[in-house]
Coordinates of all heavy atoms in Angstrom, one line a residue:
M1302 N 7.1 21.3 -2.2 CA 5.8 20.6 -2.5 C 4.8 21.8 -2.8 O 4.7 22.6 -1.9 CB 5.4 19.7 -1.4 CG 4.2 18.8 -1.7 SD 3.7 17.7 -0.4 CE 5.0 16.6 -0.2
T1303 N 4.1 21.7 -3.9 CA 3.1 22.7 -4.2 C 1.9 22.5 -3.3 O 1.7 21.5 -2.6 CB 2.6 22.6 -5.6 OG1 1.9 21.4 -5.8 CG2 3.8 22.7 -6.6
G1304 N 1.0 23.5 -3.3 CA -0.2 23.4 -2.5 C -1.1 22.2 -2.9 O -1.6 21.5 -2.0
L1305 N -1.2 22.0 -4.2 CA -2.1 20.9 -4.6 C -1.4 19.6 -4.2 O -2.1 18.7 -3.8 CB -2.3 21.0 -6.1 CG -3.1 19.8 -6.8 CD1 -4.4 19.7 -6.1 CD2 -3.1 20.0 -8.3
A1306 N -0.1 19.5 -4.4 CA 0.6 18.2 -4.1 C 0.5 18.0 -2.6 O 0.3 16.8 -2.1 CB 2.0 18.3 -4.5
R1307 N 0.6 19.0 -1.8 CA 0.5 18.9 -0.3 C -0.9 18.4 0.1 O -1.1 17.5 0.9 CB 0.8 20.2 0.4 CG 0.7 20.1 1.9 CD 1.3 21.3 2.6 NE 2.8 21.1 2.6 CZ 3.6 22.0 2.1 NH1 3.2 23.1 1.6 NH2 4.9 21.8 2.1
A1308 N -1.9 19.0 -0.5 CA -3.3 18.6 -0.3 C -3.6 17.2 -0.6 O -4.2 16.4 0.1 CB -4.3 19.6 -1.0
L1309 N -3.1 16.8 -1.8 CA -3.3 15.4 -2.2 C -2.5 14.4 -1.3 O -3.0 13.3 -1.0 CB -2.8 15.2 -3.7 CG -3.7 15.8 -4.7 CD1 -3.1 15.8 -6.1 CD2 -5.1 15.2 -4.7
H1310 N -1.4 14.8 -0.8 CA -0.6 14.0 0.1 C -1.4 13.8 1.4 O -1.5 12.6 1.9 CB 0.7 14.7 0.5 CG 1.5 14.1 1.5 ND1 2.2 12.9 1.3 CD2 1.7 14.4 2.8 CE1 2.8 12.6 2.4 NE2 2.5 13.5 3.4
Y1311 N -2.0 14.8 2.0 CA -2.8 14.7 3.2 C -4.1 13.9 2.9 O -4.5 13.2 3.8 CB -3.0 16.0 3.8 CG -1.8 16.6 4.5 CD1 -1.3 17.8 4.0 CD2 -1.1 15.9 5.4 CE1 -0.1 18.3 4.6 CE2 0.1 16.4 6.0 CZ 0.6 17.6 5.6 OH 1.7 18.1 6.1
L1312 N -4.6 14.1 1.7 CA -5.8 13.3 1.4 C -5.5 11.8 1.3 O -6.3 11.0 1.8 CB -6.4 13.8 0.0 CG -7.6 13.0 -0.5 CD1 -8.8 13.1 0.5 CD2 -8.0 13.5 -1.9
N1313 N -4.4 11.5 0.7 CA -3.9 10.1 0.7 C -3.7 9.5 2.0 O -4.1 8.4 2.3 CB -2.6 10.0 -0.2 CG -2.9 10.1 -1.6 OD1 -4.0 9.9 -2.1 ND2 -1.8 10.5 -2.4
I1314 N -3.1 10.3 2.9 CA -2.9 9.8 4.3 C -4.3 9.6 5.0 O -4.5 8.5 5.6 CB -2.0 10.8 5.1 CG1 -0.6 10.8 4.6 CG2 -2.1 10.4 6.6 CD1 0.3 11.8 5.1
A1315 N -5.2 10.5 4.8 CA -6.5 10.4 5.5 C -7.2 9.2 4.9 O -7.8 8.4 5.7 CB -7.3 11.6 5.3
L1316 N -7.2 9.0 3.6 CA -7.9 7.8 3.0 C -7.3 6.5 3.4 O -7.9 5.5 3.7 CB -8.0 8.0 1.5 CG -8.8 9.1 1.0 CD1 -8.7 9.3 -0.5 CD2 -10.3 8.8 1.3
F1317 N -5.9 6.5 3.5 CA -5.2 5.3 3.9 C -5.6 4.9 5.4 O -6.0 3.8 5.7 CB -3.7 5.5 3.9 CG -2.9 4.5 4.6 CD1 -2.8 3.2 4.1 CD2 -2.3 4.8 5.8 CE1 -2.1 2.2 4.8 CE2 -1.6 3.8 6.5 CZ -1.5 2.6 6.0
L1318 N -5.6 5.9 6.3 CA -6.0 5.6 7.7 C -7.4 5.2 7.8 O -7.8 4.3 8.6 CB -5.7 6.9 8.5 CG -4.3 7.3 8.7 CD1 -4.2 8.6 9.4 CD2 -3.5 6.2 9.4
A1319 N -8.3 5.8 7.0 CA -9.7 5.4 7.0 C -9.9 3.9 6.5 O -10.6 3.1 7.1 CB -10.6 6.3 6.1
I1320 N -9.2 3.5 5.4 CA -9.3 2.2 4.9 C -8.7 1.2 5.9 O -9.4 0.1 6.2 CB -8.7 2.1 3.5 CG1 -9.5 2.8 2.5 CG2 -8.5 0.6 3.1 CD1 -8.8 3.0 1.2
V1321 N -7.5 1.4 6.4 CA -6.9 0.5 7.3 C -7.7 0.4 8.6 O -7.9 -0.7 9.1 CB -5.4 0.9 7.5 CG1 -4.8 0.1 8.7 CG2 -4.6 0.7 6.3
G1322 N -8.1 1.6 9.1 CA -8.9 1.5 10.4 C -10.2 0.8 10.2 O -10.6 0.0 11.0
S1323 N -10.9 1.0 9.1 CA -12.2 0.3 8.8 C -11.9 -1.2 8.6 O -12.7 -2.0 9.1 CB -12.8 0.8 7.6 OG -13.1 2.2 7.7
G1324 N -10.8 -1.5 7.9 CA -10.5 -2.9 7.7 C -10.2 -3.7 9.0 O -10.7 -4.8 9.2
L1325 N -9.4 -3.0 9.8 CA -9.1 -3.7 11.1 C -10.3 -3.8 12.0 O -10.5 -4.8 12.7 CB -7.9 -2.9 11.8 CG -6.6 -3.0 11.1 CD1 -5.6 -2.2 11.7 CD2 -6.1 -4.5 11.0
A1326 N -11.1 -2.7 12.0 CA -12.3 -2.7 12.8 C -13.3 -3.9 12.4 O -13.9 -4.6 13.2 CB -13.0 -1.4 12.8
A1327 N -13.4 -4.0 11.1 CA -14.3 -5.1 10.5 C -13.7 -6.4 10.9 O -14.5 -7.4 11.2 CB -14.5 -4.9 9.0
Y1328 N -12.4 -6.6 10.8 CA -11.8 -7.9 11.1 C -12.0 -8.2 12.6 O -12.4 -9.3 12.9 CB -10.3 -7.9 10.7 CG -9.7 -9.2 11.1 CD1 -10.0 -10.4 10.4 CD2 -8.9 -9.3 12.2 CE1 -9.4 -11.6 10.8 CE2 -8.3 -10.5 12.6 CZ -8.6 -11.6 11.9 OH -8.1 -12.9 12.3
F1329 N -11.6 -7.3 13.4 CA -11.7 -7.6 14.9 C -13.2 -7.6 15.4 O -13.5 -8.3 16.3 CB -10.9 -6.7 15.7 CG -9.4 -6.9 15.5 CD1 -8.6 -6.0 14.9 CD2 -8.8 -8.1 15.8 CE1 -7.2 -6.2 14.7 CE2 -7.5 -8.4 15.7 CZ -6.7 -7.4 15.1
G1330 N -14.0 -6.8 14.8 CA -15.4 -6.8 15.2 C -16.3 -7.9 14.7 O -17.1 -8.5 15.4
Q1331 N -16.0 -8.3 13.4 CA -16.9 -9.3 12.8 C -16.1 -10.5 12.3 O -16.6 -11.3 11.6 CB -17.6 -8.6 11.6 CG -18.4 -7.4 12.0 CD -18.7 -6.5 10.8 OE1 -18.2 -6.7 9.7 NE2 -19.5 -5.5 11.0
R1332 N -14.8 -10.5 12.5 CA -13.9 -11.6 12.0 C -14.1 -11.7 10.5 O -14.4 -12.7 10.0 CB -14.2 -12.9 12.7 CG -13.9 -12.9 14.1 CD -12.4 -12.8 14.3 NE -12.0 -12.9 15.7 CZ -11.1 -12.2 16.3 NH1 -10.4 -11.3 15.6 NH2 -10.8 -12.3 17.6
N1333 N -13.9 -10.5 9.8 CA -14.0 -10.4 8.4 C -12.7 -10.4 7.7 O -12.1 -9.4 7.6 CB -14.8 -9.1 8.1 CG -15.1 -9.0 6.6 OD1 -14.6 -9.7 5.8 ND2 -16.0 -8.0 6.3
P1334 N -12.1 -11.6 7.4 CA -10.8 -11.6 6.8 C -10.6 -10.8 5.5 O -9.6 -10.2 5.3 CB -10.5 -13.1 6.5 CG -11.4 -13.8 7.4 CD -12.6 -12.9 7.6
P1335 N -11.6 -10.7 4.6 CA -11.4 -9.9 3.4 C -11.1 -8.4 3.7 O -10.2 -7.8 3.1 CB -12.7 -10.0 2.6 CG -13.2 -11.4 3.0 CD -12.8 -11.5 4.5
A1336 N -11.7 -7.9 4.8 CA -11.5 -6.5 5.1 C -10.0 -6.4 5.6 O -9.4 -5.4 5.3 CB -12.4 -6.1 6.3
Q1337 N -9.5 -7.3 6.3 CA -8.1 -7.2 6.8 C -7.1 -7.3 5.6 O -6.2 -6.6 5.5 CB -7.8 -8.3 7.8 CG -6.4 -8.3 8.3 CD -6.1 -9.5 9.2 OE1 -6.7 -10.5 9.1 NE2 -5.2 -9.3 10.1
L1338 N -7.4 -8.2 4.7 CA -6.6 -8.4 3.5 C -6.6 -7.1 2.6 O -5.5 -6.7 2.1 CB -7.0 -9.6 2.7 CG -6.8 -10.9 3.4 CD1 -7.4 -12.1 2.6 CD2 -5.3 -11.2 3.6
I1339 N -7.7 -6.5 2.5 CA -7.8 -5.2 1.7 C -7.0 -4.2 2.4 O -6.2 -3.4 1.8 CB -9.2 -4.8 1.5 CG1 -9.9 -5.8 0.5 CG2 -9.3 -3.4 0.9 CD1 -11.4 -5.6 0.4
A1340 N -7.1 -4.1 3.7 CA -6.3 -3.1 4.5 C -4.8 -3.3 4.3 O -4.0 -2.4 4.1 CB -6.7 -3.1 5.9
L1341 N -4.4 -4.6 4.3 CA -3.0 -4.9 4.1 C -2.5 -4.6 2.7 O -1.5 -4.1 2.5 CB -2.8 -6.4 4.4 CG -1.4 -7.0 4.2 CD1 -0.4 -6.2 5.1 CD2 -1.3 -8.5 4.5
A1342 N -3.4 -4.9 1.7 CA -3.1 -4.6 0.3 C -2.9 -3.1 0.1 O -1.9 -2.6 -0.5 CB -4.2 -5.1 -0.6
V1343 N -3.7 -2.3 0.7 CA -3.6 -0.8 0.6 C -2.3 -0.3 1.3 O -1.6 0.6 0.8 CB -4.9 -0.1 1.2 CG1 -4.7 1.4 1.4 CG2 -6.1 -0.4 0.3
A1344 N -2.0 -0.9 2.5 CA -0.8 -0.6 3.2 C 0.5 -0.9 2.3 O 1.4 -0.1 2.3 CB -0.7 -1.3 4.5
I1345 N 0.4 -2.0 1.6 CA 1.6 -2.3 0.7 C 1.8 -1.3 -0.4 O 2.9 -0.9 -0.6 CB 1.4 -3.8 0.2 CG1 1.6 -4.8 1.3 CG2 2.3 -4.0 -1.0 CD1 1.2 -6.2 0.9
V1346 N 0.7 -1.0 -1.1 CA 0.9 -0.1 -2.3 C 0.9 1.4 -1.9 O 1.2 2.2 -2.7 CB -0.2 -0.3 -3.4 CG1 0.0 -1.7 -4.0 CG2 -1.6 -0.1 -2.9
G1347 N 0.6 1.6 -0.6 CA 0.7 3.0 -0.2 C 2.0 3.3 0.5 O 3.0 3.5 -0.1
P1348 N 2.0 3.4 1.8 CA 3.2 3.8 2.6 C 4.4 2.9 2.4 O 5.5 3.3 2.3 CB 2.7 3.9 4.0 CG 1.4 3.3 4.1 CD 0.8 3.2 2.7
L1349 N 4.1 1.5 2.4 CA 5.3 0.6 2.3 C 6.0 0.8 1.0 O 7.2 0.9 1.0 CB 4.8 -0.8 2.4 CG 5.9 -1.9 2.4 CD1 6.9 -1.6 3.5 CD2 5.3 -3.3 2.4
E1350 N 5.3 1.0 -0.1 CA 5.9 1.2 -1.4 C 6.7 2.5 -1.4 O 7.9 2.6 -1.9 CB 4.9 1.3 -2.5 CG 5.5 1.5 -3.9 CD 4.4 1.4 -5.0 OE1 3.2 1.4 -4.7 OE2 4.9 1.4 -6.1
D1351 N 6.1 3.6 -0.8 CA 6.8 4.9 -0.7 C 8.1 4.7 0.1 O 9.2 5.3 -0.3 CB 6.0 5.9 -0.1 CG 4.8 6.3 -1.0 OD1 4.8 6.0 -2.2 OD2 3.8 6.9 -0.5
I1352 N 8.1 4.0 1.2 CA 9.2 3.9 2.1 C 10.3 3.1 1.3 O 11.5 3.5 1.4 CB 8.8 3.1 3.4 CG1 8.0 4.1 4.3 CG2 10.1 2.6 4.1 CD1 7.3 3.3 5.4
L1353 N 9.9 2.0 0.7 CA 10.9 1.2 -0.1 C 11.6 2.0 -1.2 O 12.8 1.9 -1.4 CB 10.3 -0.1 -0.6 CG 9.9 -1.1 0.5 CD1 9.1 -2.3 -0.1 CD2 11.1 -1.6 1.2
K1354 N 10.8 2.8 -1.9 CA 11.3 3.6 -3.0 C 12.3 4.6 -2.5 O 13.4 4.8 -3.1 CB 10.2 4.2 -3.8 CG 9.5 3.3 -4.8 CD 8.4 4.1 -5.6 CE 7.7 3.2 -6.6 NZ 6.7 4.0 -7.3
K1355 N 12.0 5.3 -1.4 CA 12.9 6.2 -0.8 C 14.2 5.6 -0.4 O 15.3 6.1 -0.5 CB 12.2 7.0 0.4 CG 11.2 8.0 -0.1 CD 10.6 8.7 1.1 CE 9.5 9.6 0.7 NZ 8.7 10.2 1.8
K1356 N 14.1 4.4 0.2 CA 15.2 3.7 0.7 C 16.1 3.3 -0.5 O 17.4 3.4 -0.4 CB 14.8 2.4 1.4 CG 16.0 1.7 2.1 CD 15.4 0.7 3.1 CE 16.5 0.0 3.9 NZ 17.0 0.8 5.0
V1357 N 15.6 2.9 -1.6 CA 16.3 2.5 -2.8 C 17.0 3.7 -3.4 O 18.2 3.7 -3.8 CB 15.4 1.8 -3.9 CG1 16.1 1.7 -5.2 CG2 15.0 0.4 -3.4
R1358 N 16.3 4.9 -3.4 CA 16.9 6.1 -4.0 C 17.9 6.7 -3.1 O 18.8 7.5 -3.6 CB 15.7 7.1 -4.3 CG 14.9 6.7 -5.5 CD 13.9 7.7 -5.8 NE 13.2 7.4 -7.0 CZ 11.9 7.3 -7.1 NH1 11.1 7.6 -6.1 NH2 11.3 7.0 -8.2
R1359 N 17.8 6.6 -1.8 CA 18.7 7.2 -0.9 C 20.1 6.6 -0.9 O 20.3 5.4 -1.1 CB 18.2 7.1 0.6 CG 19.0 7.9 1.6 CD 18.4 7.8 3.0 NE 17.0 8.4 2.9 CZ 16.0 7.9 3.6 NH1 16.2 6.9 4.5 NH2 14.9 8.5 3.5
G1360 N 21.1 7.5 -0.8 CA 22.5 7.0 -0.7 C 23.1 6.8 -2.1 O 24.3 6.5 -2.2
E1361 N 22.4 7.0 -3.1 CA 23.0 6.8 -4.5 C 23.1 8.2 -5.1 O 22.2 9.0 -5.1 CB 22.0 6.0 -5.4 CG 21.9 4.6 -4.9 CD 23.1 3.7 -5.1 OE1 23.8 4.0 -6.1 OE2 23.3 2.8 -4.3
P1362 N 24.3 8.5 -5.7 CA 24.4 9.8 -6.3 C 23.4 9.9 -7.5 O 22.8 10.9 -7.8 CB 25.8 9.9 -6.8 CG 26.5 8.6 -6.4 CD 25.5 7.8 -5.7
V1363 N 23.3 8.8 -8.2 CA 22.3 8.7 -9.3 C 21.4 7.5 -8.9 O 21.9 6.4 -8.9 CB 23.0 8.4 -10.7 CG1 22.0 8.3 -11.8 CG2 24.0 9.5 -11.0
P1364 N 20.1 7.8 -8.7 CA 19.3 6.7 -8.2 C 19.2 5.6 -9.3 O 19.2 5.8 -10.5 CB 17.9 7.3 -8.1 CG 18.2 8.8 -8.0 CD 19.5 9.0 -8.7
D1365 N 19.2 4.3 -8.8 CA 19.1 3.2 -9.7 C 17.6 3.0 -10.0 O 16.9 2.4 -9.2 CB 19.7 1.9 -9.0 CG 19.6 0.7 -9.8 OD1 19.2 0.8 -11.0 OD2 20.0 -0.4 -9.4
E1366 N 17.1 3.5 -11.1 CA 15.7 3.4 -11.4 C 15.3 2.0 -11.7 O 14.1 1.7 -11.5 CB 15.4 4.3 -12.6 CG 15.5 5.8 -12.3 CD 14.5 6.2 -11.1 OE1 13.4 5.8 -11.1 OE2 15.0 7.0 -10.3
S1367 N 16.2 1.1 -12.1 CA 15.7 -0.3 -12.2 C 15.3 -0.9 -10.9 O 14.4 -1.7 -10.8 CB 16.8 -1.1 -12.9 OG 18.0 -1.2 -12.1
A1368 N 16.0 -0.5 -9.8 CA 15.7 -1.0 -8.5 C 14.3 -0.4 -8.1 O 13.5 -1.1 -7.4 CB 16.8 -0.7 -7.5
V1369 N 14.1 0.8 -8.4 CA 12.8 1.5 -8.1 C 11.7 0.7 -8.8 O 10.6 0.5 -8.3 CB 12.9 3.0 -8.4 CG1 11.5 3.6 -8.3 CG2 13.9 3.7 -7.6
E1370 N 12.0 0.4 -10.1 CA 11.0 -0.3 -10.9 C 10.7 -1.7 -10.3 O 9.5 -2.2 -10.2 CB 11.4 -0.5 -12.3 CG 10.4 -1.1 -13.2 CD 10.8 -1.1 -14.7 OE1 11.8 -0.5 -15.0 OE2 10.1 -1.8 -15.4
V1371 N 11.7 -2.4 -9.7 CA 11.5 -3.7 -9.1 C 10.6 -3.5 -7.9 O 9.7 -4.3 -7.6 CB 12.8 -4.3 -8.7 CG1 12.6 -5.5 -7.8 CG2 13.6 -4.7 -9.9
V1372 N 10.8 -2.5 -7.1 CA 10.0 -2.2 -5.9 C 8.5 -2.0 -6.4 O 7.6 -2.5 -5.8 CB 10.5 -1.0 -5.1 CG1 9.5 -0.5 -4.1 CG2 11.8 -1.3 -4.4
D1373 N 8.4 -1.2 -7.4 CA 7.1 -0.9 -7.9 C 6.3 -2.1 -8.4 O 5.2 -2.3 -8.0 CB 7.2 0.1 -9.1 CG 5.8 0.6 -9.6 OD1 5.0 1.0 -8.8 OD2 5.6 0.6 -10.8
K1374 N 7.0 -2.9 -9.2 CA 6.4 -4.2 -9.7 C 6.1 -5.2 -8.5 O 5.1 -5.8 -8.5 CB 7.3 -4.8 -10.7 CG 7.6 -4.0 -11.9 CD 6.4 -3.7 -12.7 CE 6.8 -3.0 -14.0 NZ 5.7 -2.3 -14.6
A1375 N 7.0 -5.3 -7.6 CA 6.8 -6.2 -6.5 C 5.6 -5.8 -5.6 O 4.8 -6.7 -5.2 CB 8.1 -6.3 -5.6
T1376 N 5.5 -4.5 -5.3 CA 4.4 -4.1 -4.5 C 3.1 -4.2 -5.2 O 2.1 -4.6 -4.6 CB 4.6 -2.7 -3.9 OG1 4.8 -1.8 -5.0 CG2 5.7 -2.6 -2.9
S1377 N 3.1 -4.0 -6.5 CA 1.9 -4.1 -7.3 C 1.5 -5.6 -7.4 O 0.3 -5.9 -7.2 CB 2.1 -3.7 -8.8 OG 2.3 -2.3 -8.8
A1378 N 2.4 -6.5 -7.5 CA 2.1 -7.9 -7.5 C 1.6 -8.4 -6.2 O 0.6 -9.2 -6.1 CB 3.4 -8.8 -7.8
A1379 N 2.1 -7.9 -5.1 CA 1.6 -8.3 -3.7 C 0.2 -7.7 -3.6 O -0.7 -8.4 -3.0 CB 2.5 -7.7 -2.7
F1380 N 0.0 -6.5 -4.0 CA -1.4 -5.9 -3.9 C -2.4 -6.8 -4.7 O -3.4 -7.1 -4.2 CB -1.3 -4.5 -4.5 CG -2.7 -3.8 -4.6 CD1 -3.3 -3.3 -3.5 CD2 -3.3 -3.7 -5.9 CE1 -4.5 -2.6 -3.7 CE2 -4.5 -3.1 -6.0 CZ -5.1 -2.5 -4.9
L1381 N -2.1 -7.1 -5.9 CA -3.0 -7.9 -6.8 C -3.2 -9.3 -6.2 O -4.3 -9.8 -6.2 CB -2.5 -7.9 -8.2 CG -2.5 -6.6 -8.9 CD1 -1.8 -6.7 -10.3 CD2 -3.9 -6.1 -9.1
A1382 N -2.1 -9.9 -5.7 CA -2.3 -11.2 -5.1 C -3.2 -11.2 -3.9 O -4.1 -12.1 -3.7 CB -0.9 -11.8 -4.7
L1383 N -3.1 -10.2 -3.1 CA -4.0 -10.1 -1.9 C -5.5 -9.9 -2.4 O -6.4 -10.4 -1.8 CB -3.6 -9.0 -1.0 CG -2.4 -9.3 -0.1 CD1 -1.8 -8.0 0.5 CD2 -2.7 -10.3 0.9
L1384 N -5.7 -9.1 -3.4 CA -7.0 -8.9 -3.9 C -7.6 -10.2 -4.5 O -8.8 -10.4 -4.4 CB -7.1 -7.7 -4.9 CG -6.8 -6.4 -4.3 CD1 -7.0 -5.3 -5.4 CD2 -7.7 -6.1 -3.1
V1385 N -6.8 -10.9 -5.2 CA -7.2 -12.2 -5.7 C -7.6 -13.1 -4.6 O -8.7 -13.8 -4.6 CB -6.1 -12.9 -6.6 CG1 -6.4 -14.4 -6.9 CG2 -5.9 -12.1 -7.9
W1386 N -6.8 -13.1 -3.5 CA -7.2 -13.9 -2.3 C -8.5 -13.5 -1.7 O -9.3 -14.3 -1.4 CB -6.1 -13.7 -1.3 CG -6.1 -14.7 -0.1 CD1 -6.9 -15.7 0.1 CD2 -5.2 -14.6 1.0 NE1 -6.6 -16.3 1.3 CE2 -5.5 -15.7 1.8 CE3 -4.1 -13.8 1.3 CZ2 -4.9 -15.9 3.0 CZ3 -3.4 -14.1 2.5 CH2 -3.8 -15.1 3.3
V1387 N -8.7 -12.2 -1.7 CA -10.0 -11.6 -1.2 C -11.2 -12.2 -2.0 O -12.2 -12.6 -1.5 CB -10.0 -10.1 -1.2 CG1 -11.4 -9.5 -1.0 CG2 -9.1 -9.6 -0.1
V1388 N -11.0 -12.1 -3.3 CA -12.1 -12.6 -4.2 C -12.4 -14.1 -4.0 O -13.6 -14.4 -3.9 CB -11.7 -12.4 -5.7 CG1 -12.6 -13.1 -6.7 CG2 -11.6 -10.9 -6.0
F1389 N -11.4 -14.9 -3.8 CA -11.6 -16.3 -3.5 C -12.2 -16.6 -2.1 O -13.0 -17.5 -2.0 CB -10.4 -17.1 -3.8 CG -10.1 -17.4 -5.2 CD1 -9.1 -16.7 -5.9 CD2 -10.8 -18.3 -5.9 CE1 -8.9 -16.9 -7.2 CE2 -10.6 -18.5 -7.3 CZ -9.6 -17.8 -7.9
I1390 N -11.9 -15.8 -1.2 CA -12.4 -15.9 0.2 C -13.9 -15.5 0.2 O -14.7 -16.1 0.8 CB -11.7 -15.1 1.2 CG1 -10.3 -15.7 1.5 CG2 -12.5 -14.9 2.5 CD1 -9.5 -14.8 2.4
A1391 N -14.2 -14.5 -0.6 CA -15.6 -13.9 -0.6 C -16.6 -14.7 -1.4 O -17.7 -14.4 -1.4 CB -15.5 -12.4 -1.0
R1392 N -16.1 -15.7 -2.1 CA -17.0 -16.4 -3.0 C -17.9 -17.3 -2.2 O -17.8 -17.7 -1.1 CB -16.2 -17.3 -3.9 CG -15.5 -16.5 -4.9 CD -14.6 -17.2 -5.8 NE -14.9 -18.6 -6.2 CZ -14.4 -19.2 -7.1 NH1 -13.4 -18.8 -7.8 NH2 -14.7 -20.5 -7.4

């Protein structure tokens, strides 16, 4: 991993933790469901997507990129569904 890639990796982790921590704090402190849903959406398209893609690619001599694409599309759909839910709750 290059220096820039490593720096971006750690930046992503820090931003993820900040969003999830803020979302959970807002939910438990103010009972703010949209904050919790946003935190969940970010968790899905961040670390969960990375974990699933690694799992799909592992164990195969030639990774099945169609399976990786399914993971990508499924996590994107879940992310967008949660954001739509947030928009309707916040109305």
Side-chain angles (χ1 to χ4, degrees):
M1302 189 180 298
T1303 66
L1305 178 58
R1307 181 170 282 123
L1309 289 172
H1310 174 75
Y1311 289 120
L1312 176 62
N1313 285 337
I1314 290 171
L1316 292 172
F1317 165 75
L1318 292 174
I1320 290 170
V1321 171
S1323 298
L1325 292 175
Y1328 176 72
F1329 289 116
Q1331 304 159 355
R1332 294 292 184 220
N1333 184 350
Q1337 182 185 25
L1338 293 172
I1339 291 170
L1341 179 59
V1343 170
I1345 287 172
V1346 296
L1349 180 61
E1350 181 177 10
D1351 292 343
I1352 290 167
L1353 291 173
K1354 283 183 177 180
K1355 285 179 185 174
K1356 188 168 184 81
V1357 167
R1358 288 185 174 127
R1359 187 175 299 145
E1361 297 288 327
V1363 177
D1365 182 4
E1366 289 303 317
S1367 64
V1369 173
E1370 187 175 349
V1371 168
V1372 168
D1373 185 49
K1374 300 293 184 198
T1376 54
S1377 293
F1380 174 78
L1381 293 172
L1383 286 168
L1384 292 185
V1385 167
W1386 191 3
V1387 167
V1388 168
F1389 281 105
I1390 286 175
R1392 290 171 35 167

